[in-house]
Amino acid sequence: MSTAPWYEEPSPGTGSLEPRAWFAASEAARLSLDGTWRFRLSPRADSEDTSFAAPGYDASGWAELAVPGHWVLQGHGSPAYTNVRYPFPVDPPRVPTGNPTGDHLRTFDVPDAMSADGEVLLRFDGVESCARVWLNGTELGTFMGSRLPHEFEVGALLRPRGNVLAVRVHQWSAGSYLEDQDQWWMPGIFREVTLLHRPPGAAGDFFVHSPYDHRTGRGTLRVESAVPGRVLVPELGLDLATGESALIPVEPWTAETPRLYTAELVTPGERVPLRIGFRTVVVEDGLLKVNGRRILFRGVNRHEFHPETGRTLGLATMREDLVLMKRHNINAVRTSHYPPHPAFLELCDELGLWVIDECDLETHGFEEVGWRGNPVDDPRWTPALLDRAARMVERDKNHPSVVLWSLGNECGTGQGLSAMADWIRDRDPSRPIHYEGDRSCRDTDVYSRMYASQEETARFGRHEDTDGPGERDRLPFILCEYGHAMGNGPGGLTEYQDLFETYERCQGGFVWEWIDHGLAHPELGHAYGGDFGEELHDGNFVCDGLLFPDRTPSPGLVEYKKVIEPVRFAGDGTAGTLHITNCHDFSGLSHLAFDWSYEVEGKAVASGPLAVPDLAPGRSVELKLDPPPVADASREAYWTVRAVLAHDTPWAPRGYGVAWSQLPVVPRPASAPVAGIAPVREGHRVTLGPAAFDCRTGLLTDLGGIPVEGPRLDVWRAPTDNDAGASWAPEEQYARRWRELGLDRMQHRLDDMELTDSHFVVCSRVAPAASDLALRVKYIWSGDGERVRLTVSVAPEGTWTLPLPRLGVRMGLPGAYGQAQWFGAGPGEAYPDTRRAARVGRWSMPVDAMQTPYVRPQENGARAEVRWAELHDGQRGLRIEGDPEFWFTARRWTSEELAAARHRPDLVPGDRVWLNLDHGMHGIGSASCGPGVLTEYQLRADEAVFGFVFGPLAVTR
C-alpha cells in the first residue's frame, strides 16, 4: 500500500514556528540570504534523492539562479497562464507525476553578532508552491502557503563558516489546489530568505491596538506583547508598559490623512520601531465606517507583477505602484488574491490607502467540476485554511491601512471558510470580514459582488435585494471587482461612480486590475497565455490592467482618475457660475489650490488663481467667475478650471493636477459654405477645384497634389477585447457577431454618379456578402476653388438589429504625412463611454505616438469631439474640418491589419497613413468580464448625415 508523499498531504506542513507580527528591522542582527544560489531542475518530484542537502555535496556543476526569483523566468522551464482551470487533473490532493522540482543550495557564513546568546530564525517570505528545508544536513520541515511567511528556529544548527542551506521546491503540491488565482503559474523562492537573530528578551509577537473615538477626538493605545516591555511614543509623551492602555487626544489615520506616530516597542533584548495610526473600522447603520464616517472605495485590485521578474518585486517598484495610484486619485487596494509583500502594506500606511487584505486562497477550478471535492468544504483541509488565515492576520495585524480581512477569492462556500471567519473574528474583532463568493453573507460583514451591472448596482443601492436573504440587504455593498480593464477600456465607469455617489449603501469598488501581466519577450514584446507552448491556457486574459506591463498608465487609468476625482465642478460657463463640491471623505480643500484659464479655439488667452473656501467633506459652494476676458461670438470659447496640489506631498509635487472641468461659453460657430464652382469631367477623371476623382470608382484620388485613397464609408474596427466579450454572455460577443454578419468584409458597389452645376454626386451600396442588409450611401461633393466639402448621407436597408462598430469614412495619405494636429478632445484616446478624461484643446503629436500599445493589438487611438485635424510632412499637408464634430483616428496600418495582429511586433508600418473620420463610434463597455456597452453608447444603424471640408495645407514654421 503506497503512502502519499508529504507534498500531497492537505496539511500546511511541519516544523514552522507559529506566525507573528512582521516588522521591517530592529537593531538585532539579520543576514539576507538573497543572491546567487546553485540550482538543479528535475522533471519529477522523485527524480533525485536528498543527498544534495548533506554537507560536502558538490554542486559546482549546477546552474546559478537569482533568489528571490522564479526559475521559469531564468531559463529553466516555462511559465504557464490559466484563469480558472487547473493545469493538471483535478484529483485532490494528488498532483501529477510530472512535477518540476527545483533543488536550491546556498552556502553562507554567520556574522559574529549572530553567535551571541539567543535564537536564530530562518525566514522564508514566499515560496511557490511548497518547500522542504534542510540546514547543514538536518531537515527543518516543510511548508505550503506560497505567499505567506514561514520561520524555523535554527540557532543550534549554525556554525561560523560554511553553512549549507538546501531547499527543495515542487511546482505542484496539495497547496496548488488552494492557489488557483488568475495569474501565471511560476514556481520558485520568489520573496526574501533571511536569517534573524533574536537575542534574549527580544520581542516576539505583538499586537498594536489603537482605536480612535471620533466623538471625543481621543485615541486609545494598548500593545499586547508576548515579551513584556514598554511602548514609547515621544510625540505623545507616552511611556507605557505593554498591556496597559492610554487615552489621549490624537490626530486620526485615514487614507486621505495618513497620520502616523513614530514609536518603539522596547523589550529587554530589543527595540522595535513602530508606526502607529489611530483609527476605528465598524459596520454601523448598514454602512462601512472609519472614524465615524462612511468611506467610498475608489479602488483597484492589485496582483504583484513585474514583466521581467514576475512576482518578485523590489521596494522601488512597490512604491512606484502606490505613487501612481495616489496620482490617479485611487484610495484603496484589494490585494488580489493573497497577502502582498509586507513592505507594501508599510507603504500603504505611509502614503495612505485603504486595504482589503486577502488570504492566499482560491479554488476556482473546482467550479469546472461542479465544486465536487472543493477543499473549503472538506474538513481534511481546514487546518491548512486556518493556517493561511492565521499567517495573514498575525503578519499584517498592525497596519492601520488594513481595514478589511478577506477570506480569499472564488472558493465557492463551505465549512472551512466559516472556520476561518470564526478564527479571525476571535483574534481581531476590530476589522470586518470580506468574502465575495457566498451570496448568503453568512461569514461576512459586507455584501460584495463582482461585475454586477450598473442596473443591479442601482437596485442594491435602493435595498432591493430580492434574490437574497433579508439580512444581506442590511449590509454595505461593494464591488470587489468591476470595470474589467482588459485592452481598450473599461467603459461605463462614470455610470458606476454616479451610483456610488447617489446611494449611500454603495460604497465603491475595485477595478480589475492594476497591471497587465505581459511577460517581457525578445520577439513578441510582451507574452501572454499560449506564447510558451502551454496546452491549456487563457490567452491574453492575463493582460487586463490599468497599467501596461512596463507600468505606463493606460488610457483606462487616465479615465479612471477623471471619473473618481475627489472634487466635482459644474456650472454655466455663459452665466459665469461655478459649482464646486468636495467629494473627499475626511479632508477639506486646504491641501488644494484652484485656478482657471479662458481658452479661445483651444488656446489659453488668460488665466489666474481661483479663490475657493476650505469646504468640509460633502459640502458645496457656488462661485461667480469674472466676465470673459475676450468677447468674440465668432470664436468658440470655454473656461477650464482646475484643482491642483497646494504643497509637495510624498507622492506628487506642488501643482500636480487632481481634478478639472471645462465650461462652454461661446459655442462652435456654424461652418462656412464651400460651394461655387462646377465639377469638370475629362475622360475617366473628374476635377472639382483642388480635388480630382476617378469616375470609374467615384473616389477621390488627388487633393491639391496630395495622392489620396478614399474617402469611402467604413463601419469596421479591429475588435477590442471587450468587443470579443465573455463566453457566458454570447449576446455581448459583438466581434463574433460582426464577423458572422460580414462587417469585416463589406463590399462597395457604385450605383450612380452625377455632375451638376455645383456638385459631384456618387451613390453607392455598401453591404456584406451573403446578406440582404446594406447601407445606401450618397457622397455629395462641392468646392470653392481652394477647398472641397463632402456630405455623406447614409440610410440602412433591411432590418439591422446589431450595432455598428463605427460609422464614418476611411482614407489613405502618403506615409510622409506623419505629423498630426487637431482641435478637439485629447491628448489621449477616447470613445463614447470612455471620454471623461478627454480635454478640449489644441494638440499635436506624431501619428506614431497616437497609437495605444495594447499588449494584444486592437482598435485604439480615436480622438473625440474633433473640430478640425491636420496631417502634414513638415512642409505641406491636409486640413480636415468636421460638420459636425467627428472622431479622428490616424495610423500606419489598416483596421484589417490591426485585427490580424497578435502582438505589437506584428504591426509593420506601411507606406500610407490611414485616417478614420467617424460620425459615430460604438462604445467600449467591459464585456470581456462584465457588462457590455450601455444602450446609450451603442451605435445603431440609423439614417445619418455628416460632412467634412478638405483643403491642402501649407505648413508655416
Side-chain angles (χ1 to χ4, degrees), residues 674-738:
V674 180
I677 63 171
V680 177
R681 178 167 182 169
E682 297 177 355
H684 296 301
R685 178 181 170 91
V686 173
T687 59
L688 180 63
F693 303 84
D694 185 337
C695 60
R696 292 167 297 188
T697 63
L699 297 178
L700 179 70
T701 59
D702 185 277
L703 184 64
I706 303 171
V708 175
E709 295 184 37
R712 69 176 186 173
L713 192 77
D714 188 23
V715 298
W716 178 244
R717 74 184 187 195
T720 68
D721 290 315
N722 287 304
D723 290 339
S727 60
W728 57 85
E731 71 281 358
E732 300 291 352
Q733 294 174 355
Y734 285 116
R736 173 185 58 80
R737 297 171 67 195
W738 286 337

Side-chain angles (χ1 to χ4, degrees), residues 712 714-719 739 743-746 810 891 893-901 907 914 916:
R712 69 176 186 173
D714 188 23
V715 298
W716 178 244
R717 74 184 187 195
R739 284 192 170 101
L743 299 188
D744 59 334
R745 46 184 169 82
M746 300 289 276
R810 187 200 302 190
R891 55 174 71 104
W893 34 77
T894 65
S895 295
E896 291 75 18
E897 291 168 334
L898 186 59
L907 293 170
W914 293 99
N916 276 99

